[in-house]
Amino acid sequence: QLHAEKTFAKLVRLLPDADKQRPHVVHLVSEQVTYRHDTDRELSFRQESNFYYLTGCNTPGSSMLAVDYGAGSGVQLHLFVPREDPLETMWSPPPPTLQASTDMFDAHSVKYTDDFLSTLTTIVAQCPDALIHTLPVSPQFPSLSKKFASNFAGSTTSAYLLPALHLARLIKTPYEIELIRKANAISSRAHEVIMRVLGKDAKGLILGQEEGVVMPDRWRIEKEAEAEAIFVASCRREGSNHQAYLPICASAQRASTLHYCCNDREFAWGPFIPQHDAHDDLPYTSGANGVSKKIFIPQVLLLDAGCEWNNYASDITRTTPIGNGGKFTKEAREIYSLVLKMQNDSIAALKPGVHWDTIHLECHKTLVKRFLELKIFKGNEDEVLHSGISASFFPHGLGHSLGLDVHDVPSASKPDAKFNMTIPTESEQNPEFYRYLRLRLPLEAGMVLTVEPGVYFSPHLLAPVRPSPYVDHEVLARYESVGGVRIEDVLLITENGSENLTTVGKDVDWIEKPPQMAFLKALKDFACLPDPKTIPPSTLLKFTDTTITIFDKYPKAKFHFLILPRVRPDEGLTTGVLHDLKSLLAWGEKDRALEVLRDLEKESKEVLDMIRNEMHKQYGESCEWKVFTGFHAVPSMHHVHLHVISSDYVSPTLKTKKHWNSFSPKLGFFLELKDVLDWFEMPEEAFKKNASLPESQYERLLKTDMECWRCEAELKTVPKLQDHLKVHFDREIARMKKKRKHEIDLTGDDDKGAEASDGPPAAKITKLPDSKSK
């Protein structure tokens, strides 16, 4: 209903004044089940996007009427679904019944398709001057029935409905945004699966030639088709029925072809080399002379793929190194880093009012500047830019609208240049930069778009610039084997900036080490969730509008929780600001940063009460011990997180010196929350000095010898440390229970509820024998 009202509002604005006050009827038909040429072999069904936008109905062979009688009467939507055909039901599932359709869809009425003509005839009889709007007659859209065309041709127009729908679909509703977010989450995980499988081969975790049935956990990727198959399988496993477009899985030089959808080549291989070391770091295969190592020639795999969720698209590209031990070559890393900078700078510039042309131009400027530094280009920076030669290396647009279609609403995203008064004057200087730009508007809140810069070394595109005086061809030759690099994310434009809906990593470290680096973003993923209730109960403790509290997956004490500030892009709390404590303190909004810490402090007090109650339940009403709240100066995971950890440190997952030193309350790597809050009361210079959190200064602390925080005993090994801490804990529990028993003996009062619970009683801790004593 909301989508229909948006569409009618846009439609009326497009109409001539003489037609604005007339009743208006919109008629759309759904996609039919289609078959491969001259066969009865069904093709995969996907609903026509405009029909789905107005109805939410995925039933083939349906139709709809939306009616606005005028005078503020509102929009009435009538949906028509096909009857069940008993002969077809043997072969295919039947369409939903009228009752099921009524329950599923937001419509004024639901009828069978054979009631369509009579319903429309009644509407036209009530409103003889009604104007009926349809989509253009075109192979791009489902055909209207011949009876409709013959009976209502005189009162029908196709001039306004499509542009009205595109304008309505350009700005997404909250409901649409959540569907796009879901599609991107599924696709992000599928991209990460590809990186992990490639990473297993790079690290030698899959050895030997597989024969016969190979289970999914033993799948490898040695050709483009296998990358496509695993990506699609990952999406289908999570419930996505369609890819938003044909996946692009382009390896080596083929990555320079923008829409390479063949996906039918093996990766480039080097020679077979006889091997005797079973622990080498690349995959093996059987050669003519026994065991041999099959080496990938260093290359990249450009994977541009995204699934749909309820017909809403995602569109993500990642470029991953193959061969070379899973690392980029020097040249590939330099090009990848350039593209990443182009993308990061573009994302940072996103906000309402900024023209897309302007951000696109900045990408060309960044490319020219870096190519001059790499000596690929030569000459004056301004002259090189104005020559337009960068378009041979970055030929496509920076991005496009995304929604029900991957290249969404083209007529609204890129209005006819003759009528587009928004284009900046600066864009006229290099028209070749904008030839393939699919979005040419100022940004608005609610837009969803891709940001996908790329750099390519395409023989086809480079041929015309070979004679250019601005290119050093000797240097260029060293980079041509890279093929192409593209990085693409989906962004939502918010009131104050943007929100990245793509969650898979893209930093060089992440791309080169996905099995090791994947855990880094787990907290960020939780903090970005619009509904934390989707976090498994085994992980989630509680959440508020501003925070999420989770159980630490690897607790370093009997009670160990993490409190995360939630990502709220509309309030400026982006993933970048909340990357870690250092980024939060460096945020230009110092008062806002303090608010975030106060929210964490408030939540930590509630968690502390819960911990104390649990201490009482598990160890007795008299038993409470200290709980620390604080941050790691150099965190091991992305996203700010406050540790709430009990001071016993008795846990089998406290396994290394680094673990202990990172939590030891006296060493200084663990920054207590109260101390961080005190920094805000200091003079500005002192605040900045503390907030800088230099990594080298703090990381040295992790290498110091282990020492008990209670008695300062030095412990040489982690097992001895664990035993030592366990003795401390057992003695403290026994002391507290003995003290409680003594109080009861003196007073005769066994009222457990009367005992205070605002911290353990102060007591001298007797120094235990150190690790050298028995």
Side-chain angles (χ1 to χ4, degrees):
Q1 187 71 23
L2 174 60
H3 292 176
E5 290 168 358
K6 282 184 66 179
T7 302
F8 272 95
K10 300 296 184 184
L11 181 66
V12 171
R13 289 175 56 187
L14 296 173
L15 292 170
D17 290 341
D19 291 331
K20 289 183 185 294
Q21 302 303 316
R22 296 173 62 180
H24 296 282
V25 179
V26 166
H27 172 43
L28 294 176
V29 296
S30 84
E31 185 61 88
Q32 302 283 346
V33 174
T34 54
Y35 301 86
R36 201 166 78 182
H37 308 296
D38 196 31
T39 72
D40 61 355
R41 189 278 221 190
E42 300 98 329
L43 299 177
S44 178
F45 176 82
R46 201 280 192 181
Q47 188 59 277
E48 196 276 321
S49 294
N50 294 295
F51 183 86
Y52 187 81
Y53 180 74
L54 291 182
T55 65
C57 175
N58 267 322
T59 306
S62 302
S63 63
M64 60 81 65
L65 292 170
V67 187
D68 184 353
Y69 292 98
S73 61
V75 177
Q76 291 186 4
L77 194 149
H78 304 276
L79 180 64
F80 302 88
V81 296
R83 294 180 185 271
E84 179 181 352
D85 182 344
L87 296 178
E88 279 295 317
T89 300
M90 181 175 71
W91 302 100
S92 305
T97 64
L98 283 185
Q99 185 58 54
S101 298
T102 301
D103 294 340
M104 281 191 289
F105 306 122
D106 184 14
H108 182 75
S109 70
V110 178
K111 302 177 182 179
Y112 286 121
T113 50
D114 43 23
D115 292 323
F116 166 74
L117 281 177
S118 62
T119 302
L120 180 55
T121 300
T122 300
I123 292 170
V124 172
Q126 294 172 347
C127 308
D129 61 337
L131 187 58
I132 303 174
H133 301 271
T134 65
L135 296 175
V137 177
S138 164
Q140 297 181 43
F141 304 112
S143 300
L144 300 172
S145 71
K146 292 181 179 179
K147 289 185 178 180
F148 169 81
S150 61
N151 290 336
F152 301 98
S155 56
T156 299
T157 177
S158 61
Y160 308 106
L161 179 56
L162 184 60
L165 280 162
H166 281 188
L167 288 169
R169 288 169 51 190
L170 180 65
I171 307 299
K172 272 58 181 181
T173 62
Y175 170 77
E176 293 179 285
I177 290 167
E178 290 311 308
L179 296 179
I180 297 171
R181 190 190 305 277
K182 176 75 171 180
N184 276 273
I186 294 172
S187 296
S188 292
R189 288 189 285 271
H191 274 276
E192 187 172 321
V193 167
I194 298 296
M195 294 181 199
R196 285 171 174 263
V197 176
L198 287 171
K200 286 196 296 185
D201 269 3
K203 293 300 177 185
L205 299 179
I206 302 179
L207 304 179
Q209 188 76 2
E210 301 275 4
E211 295 183 359
V213 176
V214 181
M215 298 304 289
D217 64 334
R218 302 289 292 173
W219 285 357
R220 351 175 22 165
I221 300 177
E222 296 182 352
K223 49 184 137 180
E224 295 162 350
E226 290 168 340
E228 178 183 1
I230 292 177
F231 184 91
V232 173
S234 179
C235 295
R236 287 303 301 261
R237 181 177 175 274
E238 293 204 47
S240 169
N241 294 327
H242 297 285
Q243 295 295 296
Y245 51 97
L246 290 176
I248 298 167
C249 305
S251 61
Q253 194 68 29
R254 292 177 290 278
S256 67
T257 301
L258 303 184
H259 284 181
Y260 174 90
C261 301
C262 311
N263 307 339
D264 59 357
R265 301 293 185 90
E266 288 195 7
F267 299 159
W269 293 98
F272 287 96
I273 302 176
Q275 295 291 319
H276 304 287
D277 181 4
H279 298 289
D280 206 284
D281 64 349
L282 286 173
Y284 287 69
T285 186
S286 298
N289 301 315
V291 177
S292 299
K293 183 167 69 174
K294 195 176 182 184
I295 300 179
F296 290 128
I297 293 174
Q299 62 200 284
V300 299
L301 173 65
L302 189 156
L303 178 61
D304 184 339
C307 73
E308 290 186 345
W309 184 258
N310 283 10
N311 296 331
Y312 280 85
S314 60
D315 188 359
I316 302 171
T317 305
R318 289 295 181 264
T319 305
T320 307
I322 302 171
N324 198 39
K327 308 287 186 182
F328 287 110
T329 63
K330 173 181 176 294
E331 291 77 15
R333 181 180 284 104
E334 288 170 343
I335 299 305
Y336 186 93
S337 298
L338 165 59
V339 175
L340 184 60
K341 176 173 173 54
M342 292 163 69
Q343 197 206 37
N344 285 338
D345 289 352
S346 298
I347 291 174
L350 298 178
K351 62 180 180 180
V354 177
H355 203 286
W356 192 238
D357 279 29
T358 302
I359 302 176
H360 178 76
L361 178 60
E362 288 301 315
C363 282
H364 278 277
K365 291 179 179 179
T366 300
L367 187 154
V368 168
K369 182 176 181 179
R370 183 57 178 149
F371 267 31
L372 285 168
E373 293 170 350
L374 295 173
K375 310 300 184 186
I376 298 173
F377 286 167
K378 55 187 179 179
N380 175 271
E381 186 174 332
D382 288 337
E383 290 180 4
V384 174
L385 179 68
H386 293 308
S387 74
I389 195 172
S390 58
S392 295
F393 298 87
F394 175 33
H396 59 75
L398 177 59
H400 50 80
S401 295
L402 179 136
L404 279 164
D405 296 301
V406 67
H407 294 158
D408 207 34
V409 294
S411 70
S413 297
K414 187 177 182 179
D416 191 308
K418 293 181 292 185
F419 306 107
N420 189 352
M421 300 295 105
T422 71
I423 295 177
T425 305
E426 195 175 21
S427 299
E428 299 173 3
Q429 297 177 10
N430 289 99
E432 64 272 21
F433 289 172
Y434 311 95
R435 182 174 302 150
Y436 302 110
L437 192 58
R438 300 177 189 270
L439 176 63
R440 302 203 68 181
L441 292 172
L443 301 180
E444 296 182 57
M447 284 183 173
V448 175
L449 48 85
T450 65
V451 180
E452 51 176 312
V455 172
Y456 311 88
F457 299 91
S458 164
H460 169 71
L461 294 174
L462 294 181
V465 301
R466 295 289 184 190
S468 171
Y470 298 113
V471 177
D472 187 321
H473 297 286
E474 185 176 337
V475 177
L476 174 61
R478 300 204 303 266
Y479 290 87
E480 289 189 57
S481 63
V482 173
V485 171
R486 182 163 66 252
I487 307 171
E488 178 179 19
D489 291 348
V490 175
L491 279 297
L492 165 67
I493 305 302
T494 64
E495 294 294 341
N496 300 312
S498 68
E499 178 188 354
N500 196 331
L501 303 182
T502 302
T503 60
V504 64
K506 57 189 174 184
D507 293 339
V508 172
D509 283 345
W510 175 279
I511 295 294
E512 292 185 336
K513 300 178 182 178
Q516 292 82 9
M517 303 297 287
F519 77 96
L520 289 179
K521 71 182 187 72
L523 300 185
K524 182 180 77 171
D525 289 347
F526 288 149
C528 289
L529 288 173
D531 183 8
K533 290 195 293 292
T534 59
I535 300 174
S538 59
T539 300
L540 179 66
L541 177 69
K542 62 194 295 283
F543 67 91
T544 68
D545 290 341
T546 58
T547 63
I548 296 174
T549 303
I550 61 173
F551 295 89
D552 193 301
K553 187 175 182 179
Y554 303 102
K556 303 302 185 291
K558 290 191 175 293
F559 301 98
H560 191 180
F561 299 92
L562 304 178
I563 305 177
L564 322 175
R566 295 180 66 174
V567 172
R568 289 166 281 158
D570 287 345
E571 300 176 32
L573 290 172
T574 64
T575 55
V577 169
L578 298 176
H579 180 75
D580 54 24
L581 179 62
K582 183 176 180 178
S583 64
L584 176 63
L585 297 178
W587 189 22
E589 303 280 348
K590 186 176 176 182
D591 291 342
R592 299 284 308 286
L594 180 59
E595 286 179 18
V596 172
L597 295 178
R598 291 296 185 195
D599 287 338
L600 297 179
E601 180 186 40
K602 178 181 178 182
E603 184 63 16
S604 70
K605 291 178 180 178
E606 295 190 15
V607 174
L608 179 57
D609 287 340
M610 298 172 73
I611 290 174
R612 286 172 175 163
N613 289 334
E614 195 62 29
M615 288 175 175
H616 297 165
K617 289 179 184 177
Q618 293 188 27
Y619 298 96
E621 287 294 323
S622 61
C623 296
E624 287 184 13
W625 58 99
K626 189 171 180 61
V627 176
F628 291 109
T629 57
F631 306 93
H632 283 161
V634 183
S636 60
M637 299 185 74
H638 296 166
H639 200 78
V640 181
H641 52 287
L642 178 70
H643 292 270
V644 182
I645 181 169
S646 56
S647 60
D648 51 88
Y649 302 109
V650 175
S651 170
T653 58
L654 196 155
K655 294 181 177 180
T656 68
K657 177 200 287 190
K658 182 177 179 181
H659 287 163
W660 170 245
N661 286 340
S662 68
F663 284 101
S664 176
K666 290 188 175 180
L667 193 60
F669 187 90
F670 186 82
L671 306 174
E672 290 199 56
L673 175 60
K674 60 183 178 60
D675 295 331
V676 175
L677 291 172
D678 286 344
W679 295 352
F680 286 81
E681 304 299 323
M682 296 179 178
E684 189 63 21
E685 185 176 343
F687 172 82
K688 288 182 177 179
K689 182 179 179 180
N690 285 320
S692 65
L693 297 173
E695 291 186 12
S696 58
Q697 171 186 322
Y698 284 101
E699 287 182 337
R700 285 197 298 268
L701 300 174
L702 299 178
K703 300 176 182 178
T704 58
D705 293 335
M706 293 182 294
E707 185 178 280
C708 176
W709 75 278
R710 297 172 183 265
C711 66
E712 300 180 356
E714 291 186 8
L715 291 307
K716 298 299 183 183
T717 67
V718 173
K720 289 180 179 179
L721 171 71
Q722 290 175 325
D723 291 343
H724 182 89
L725 294 172
K726 180 69 165 57
V727 171
H728 262 304
F729 177 68
D730 290 344
R731 286 192 176 183
E732 183 166 6
I733 292 295
R735 180 194 58 76
M736 287 188 284
K737 289 185 175 180
K738 183 177 180 180
K739 181 175 183 291
R740 177 59 180 161
K741 183 177 184 302
H742 180 66
E743 291 173 350
I744 294 172
D745 290 343
L746 287 176
T747 65
D749 179 11
D750 193 18
D751 181 6
K752 296 180 180 180
E755 188 146 330
S757 61
D758 55 355
K764 181 179 178 181
I765 299 177
T766 305
K767 185 173 181 178
L768 302 179
D770 63 25
S771 59
K772 300 173 186 176
S773 306
K774 291 188 179 179

